[in-house]
Amino acid sequence: MNAYEKLKTARRNGRPLGSDYINAMITERLDLCGDRRFAEDSAIVAGIGLLDDVPVTYIAIDKGHDLNERVKKNFGCVKPEGYRTALRLMKEAEKFRRPVICFVDTLGAFPGADGEERGQGQAIAENIMEMMGLKTPVISVIIGEGGSGGALALASASKVYMLENAVYSVITPEGCASILYKDAGRVAEAAEALRITAQDMVDQGVAEEIIPENFDDFPAMCADITARLLADIDAMSSLSGEEIVQNRYARFRRIGAYTEV
């Protein structure tokens, strides 16, 4: 499939959402919500639970399964209070040395005026800044769309996985086509130029690995993801908080680096 076909696949109705992965992979769950400043954002599903037998903090962006849910969850476009909720739980995870698992699926942060009034840009920037210094492992899985800073606010991680048909981009291809080509109809061309596919992200060092999709046997697919996450958590369990931060910093410094021959 080309980039535009993968984009349509990532957006396809019926594709498992963040809450589906949490339900399949996390046991003994305690959902936590609210930013302790303004409100609860239904687009964020988060809390603490067990990944196999390992205590973790889980955070997912959820688009909703039907129209009523999607409206309630802003179609997966997180508001400032959602990002502040996520940050509150990540800081709590750091305090108790719990790994953080994030499931990302959003076309971008909520673009409405009320989000801007409550500091949308600042909320995203604070998440990115604080995540870079978290002294506990953070592993993010792009399960559908990874759109702009709205996704990066939950993906400034120690390790990033992408499902094989997931996409990750600085802007939606529709937005890119409208701005650069002055023609939203050239979305397929924009998608190709943006290099948004999982393979593109691995090639550029933005993501470490691609996870095969097997929605016909979703439990087996989730078991595979669980095994990958547990292996990563075990590998990082011997590192000090300072080493975790240094490794994460080095990971992001490598992105975009090249040598001339």
Side-chain angles (χ1 to χ4, degrees), residues 91-248:
K91 296 296 287 183
E92 179 192 82
E94 179 183 48
K95 179 179 179 180
F96 292 101
R97 289 284 293 178
R98 279 195 304 269
V100 179
I101 308 298
C102 297
F103 297 96
V104 179
D105 186 13
T106 181
L107 59 84
F110 182 73
D114 55 335
E116 293 301 319
E117 289 169 355
R118 295 196 295 276
Q120 182 68 284
Q122 182 181 11
I124 292 171
E126 284 182 351
N127 272 37
I128 295 171
M129 179 184 71
E130 294 287 353
M131 287 184 77
M132 292 302 296
L134 280 179
K135 296 179 180 180
T136 195
V138 182
I139 306 170
S140 296
V141 185
I142 313 296
I143 60 173
E145 285 186 271
S148 191
L152 194 58
L154 289 184
S156 298
S158 307
K159 190 167 186 176
V160 174
Y161 288 101
M162 290 188 67
L163 299 195
E164 63 179 298
N165 291 315
V167 295
Y168 202 5
S169 177
V170 69
I171 189 174
T172 62
E174 292 86 352
C176 175
S178 297
I179 293 170
L180 293 186
Y181 304 140
K182 311 301 181 185
D183 181 1
R186 296 173 67 179
V187 58
E189 185 179 347
E192 200 65 40
L194 283 168
R195 301 286 187 246
I196 62 176
T197 70
Q199 189 60 58
D200 290 327
M201 294 301 103
V202 170
D203 291 345
Q204 297 173 47
V206 176
E208 275 75 20
E209 294 183 37
I210 298 172
I211 297 175
E213 294 178 4
N214 180 18
F215 299 136
D216 291 333
D217 192 352
F218 189 59
M221 178 179 166
C222 288
D224 172 58
I225 296 173
T226 297
R228 293 169 185 257
L229 297 178
L230 290 172
D232 292 333
I233 291 169
D234 183 63
M236 287 185 269
S237 63
S238 61
L239 301 177
S240 67
E242 289 72 20
E243 288 173 324
I244 289 171
V245 171
Q246 290 169 4
N247 289 348
R248 189 183 299 122

